[in-house]
Amino acid sequence: MEKPCTLLVHFDKGSPSMANEIKADLEGSDVAAKVDAMKRAIMLLLNGETLPALFITVVRYVLPSEDHTIQKLLLLYLEIVDKRDAASGKVLPEMILICQNLRNNLQHPNEYIRGVTLRFLCRLNEPELLEPLVPSILANLEHRHHFIRRHALSAISSIYRLPHGDQLLPDAPEVVERALAGEQDASARRNAFLMLCACAQERAIAYLLTNAERVAEWPDLLQMAAVDLIRKVCRSPNRADKGRYIKIIISLLSAPSSAVVYESAGALVSLSSAPTAVRAAANTYCQLLSSQSDNNVKLIVLDRLHELRASHRDVMVDVVMDVLRALSSPNVDVRRKVLDLVLDLLTPRNVEEVVMYLKKEVVKTQAGDLEKGGEYRQMLVQAIHSCAVEYPEVAGSVVHLLMDFLGDTNVAAAVDVVLFVREIIETNPKLRVSMIQRLIDTFYQIRASRVCSCALWILGEYSLSLSEVENAISTIKQCLGDLPFYTISEEGESTDASKPTQPVVNSVTVSSRRPVVLADGTYATQSAATETAISSPAVAPGSLSSTQNLRSLILSGDFFLAAVVACTLTKLVLRLEEVQPSKVEANKASTGALLIMVSILQLGQSSYLPHPIDNDSYDRIVLCLRLLCNTGDDLRKVWLQSCRQSFTKMLADKQFRETEEMKAKAQISHAQPDDLIDFYHLKSRRGMSQLELEDAVQDDLKAATGEFTKDADDANRLNRILQLTGFSDPVYAEAYVTVHHYDIVLDVTIINRTKETLQNLCLELATMGDLKLVDRPQNYTLAPESSKQIRANIKVSSTETGVIFGNIVYETSNVMERSVVVLNDIHIDIMDYISPATCADVAFRNMWAEFEWENKVAVNTVIQDEKEFLDHIIKSTNMKCLTPPSALDGECGFIAANLYAKSVFGEDALVNISVEKQADGKLSGYIRIRSKTQGIALSLGDKITLKQKGGSS
């Protein structure tokens, strides 16, 4: 049996021979041997051994020892040894032998012996042993040393809180109050004040209000206790003197201890919703954010600021620049939380100031000495993107700076920049001309394929004037280099396909040759060469070797980018035909585009590259060739207008979804018609401070709008009640399960349905999965036809479906053996841990490629409509659909959608649904789940397998 003790050390089980050895060592005179023997005895007792014959030996040979180590081990031994008879429950007679020793220790001249003995008495629960020691304990309150007075106050508090402690120390509150008035030691004052808070709250309140003007001068330990008392006192509704407590809290906001300042700010927000109080708390949090160097402290403070933003956004808007200063922290998590908070506090009044600050931070990231500079720059770009989308007027001040990062080595940051440019150029027509020119000037710096694809699309859609179209075509040709991409010559001859007509300084030609057999059976040599610049300051940025980014990407086998190049050239040529008055120039441009496309197809079908061109890219390029050779008005309209219209519609749908999400997050509460509203405005304002008046106004508003009203979902509560035993069992049990983040609380109701008294009734629980029992419920005695409420706490460490199982064990007077009732298993649902969340498409794809655990579930359902099936899966898994509704419209017989959710432990859950309707009307396909950990992938897969049938299952 486990026993409570301050010392918990594993030790193997003992044997009679070991007990005899311990007894012999204790009877000896060697101090070291006695110390070792006492340690072994304590370890054996902790592991369930009783050692009943050892107590008398300890009393005879250990109690008289003057050694401090032996005395400390003696107190540990006395703490865990059985002091009551198991049958009768009375204190063992031999225990009275230790009282004289304890009294002597309480009067010992050595302060250490007195202190540890007083500390031991805090853990002694037998009134029969404590009663003769009370006078000695009270005498120690007058001792000159604060160490003894401190533990004497703790001992008095523990004794007074025992079931019959008020009989042992009837005047304890008065004694402690007198001691508190004359005490100078900080820890002793705190112990005395805590005793009054727990046992005589009115005395503690009187002491606090009497010394209200001097609370700021108290030691930090006592200030923390005062804050806790104020919180406890002010929970009672309509507290008349709440204003006096708030004044005390405000005075503590300037305390030298950071812990006191933090707790005071939290208490102030919980006590008052007045703007002045909330503003003071927000400013205090911001000061802690800038003064504390510990990243964990910064994250906790940011969490408190997020909570303030949810309920007091108007006040938090004023401190947004103070929050931004926390970006000086090198920690990425702190920076991310700061940016998330700031983006939620944007207003037309502060957006320009915020964007300018973010712009300065982007410039700082260009220095190479920043830790994780690329990741931080990506976060800043995303933040500026959000600002510019919500407030388009600020886009012009940052877009040109961000376009310098299109060639960033951090591909994710470069992708964010180009997506930002694509959206801003559509939503801000005034910036189109300058952005197109800037994009043309910086296009050669781009090195990532995806960024090139998006930049090419922008050039093709938004290059409208004659000069813009010509410059765009010229830039693309320059980045592609000379044509063809490779040449085939007769054997013995080699032609450098990419060699420029003018020599390039500091460049080298890398050639590759291989023999091939021609159609007529003759041999030829195939060669391909590219120009690459040697790293040297002498190479100009605009030289040919440094601008052929498209050429190097296409020669690496990226034919998707080649298809994008072909589409962009097609759009530019079609637009050039509209804006170019000279047909000759238009035909010349068209011929050049056709030559580039043919060269790409020739490269894709050659044996030079290890992989030939894919069918999709080939068909796309061929379509562009046919379009340039024979253009109709309808096709011209599709290519020059419909693509941009689709993009505009996509942005509108995105904006609509964001607006709907904001509306869904908004808290809508209504007051009942018969709710009471107190109008403080009609009451006398005499003696009320400005803060109390503001608080009264806020209370009126909350009462009128129903913010105080919290209707419990009774149906949901009933769903969480689980029957653990049958109706015919002698003991009936049911449990109400509450899941709150990392904690699971089981409130188990046990009913004795027999006519007999059940003794030693114990609820034994065990867990499977990442669940851990915090404490083991104790034994109870249950009268006939009576009930008992037992609470069990369980800790959760990961998002994984867990199982709680166990049984109820009890004894009756008629049956000698113990009876056992097996309980039904309690399955902890993964849905209690995950909640719908949103993320960008780029982030979803990155996580999908990164996560290694995948669970593939085949679709097996009676539902025949694919959209109905998708809605059913979303509802069953508590996830959010990231695929926009516009992409799910229409009746095409198949559907593909991405779902996303986040757990309370920060884990990401990704789901992809691909469903197709068969000819017989049934749905087929797969649901793929990916996560970073195995538990969430398996648990979510089991949940989907169970729920995907449809209906009420």
Side-chain angles (χ1 to χ4, degrees), residues 426-662:
E426 169 63 29
T427 56
N428 290 264
K430 296 179 181 179
L431 300 175
R432 186 193 61 80
V433 176
S434 61
M435 291 178 66
I436 285 294
Q437 186 58 46
R438 184 71 171 172
L439 182 59
I440 291 174
D441 294 340
T442 58
F443 187 83
Y444 70 92
Q445 300 175 354
I446 302 175
R447 291 292 179 265
S449 173
R450 190 173 174 205
V451 180
C452 279
S453 300
C454 192
L456 286 169
W457 185 88
I458 294 172
L459 290 177
E461 289 294 333
Y462 297 97
S463 297
L464 303 180
S465 66
L466 177 60
S467 60
E468 291 172 350
V469 174
E470 291 178 344
N471 291 337
I473 295 175
S474 176
T475 300
I476 294 174
K477 288 183 176 180
Q478 185 180 6
C479 293
L480 287 172
D482 292 339
L483 300 177
F485 292 99
Y486 81 103
T487 59
I488 298 180
S489 62
E490 293 296 330
E491 187 175 7
E493 297 181 4
S494 175
T495 304
D496 189 351
S498 64
K499 187 175 180 179
T501 56
Q502 298 295 331
V504 178
V505 181
N506 290 334
S507 65
V508 61
T509 302
V510 181
S511 302
S512 174
R513 296 186 179 87
R514 68 180 72 181
V516 295
V517 180
L518 300 180
D520 57 356
T522 59
Y523 287 95
T525 300
Q526 175 178 289
S527 63
T530 59
E531 291 284 345
T532 58
I534 300 175
S535 178
S536 172
V539 180
S543 64
L544 183 60
S545 59
S546 63
T547 59
Q548 294 181 359
N549 50 349
L550 290 179
R551 184 185 190 90
S552 61
L553 289 171
I554 293 176
L555 286 177
S556 67
D558 190 349
F559 286 103
F560 176 79
L561 177 61
V564 175
V565 170
C567 294
T568 303
L569 288 174
T570 302
K571 292 180 183 178
L572 292 173
V573 169
L574 292 177
R575 187 164 285 113
L576 184 64
E577 292 176 355
E578 292 183 350
V579 299
Q580 175 61 262
S582 173
K583 297 296 182 182
V584 176
E585 294 296 329
N587 291 336
K588 183 178 178 181
S590 178
T591 304
L594 291 171
L595 178 60
I596 292 173
M597 297 178 199
V598 172
S599 299
I600 293 173
L601 292 177
Q602 186 183 18
L603 174 66
Q605 294 177 334
S606 69
S607 58
Y608 167 66
L609 295 178
H611 301 289
I613 186 172
D614 57 282
N615 293 332
D616 291 338
S617 300
Y618 178 84
D619 294 341
R620 190 71 171 168
I621 297 173
V622 170
L623 175 64
C624 294
L625 286 171
R626 292 175 177 172
L627 182 63
L628 289 180
C629 295
N630 184 13
T631 307
D633 293 337
D634 293 338
L635 289 177
R636 184 184 297 273
K637 182 178 179 182
V638 169
W639 279 72
L640 297 183
Q641 298 179 16
S642 300
C643 294
R644 187 169 172 182
Q645 292 172 357
S646 299
F647 179 62
T648 304
K649 184 180 178 182
M650 185 191 78
L651 291 181
D653 291 342
K654 178 183 175 183
Q655 184 67 27
F656 176 76
R657 290 202 313 273
E658 293 176 351
T659 305
E660 291 297 318
E661 290 174 2
M662 291 178 63

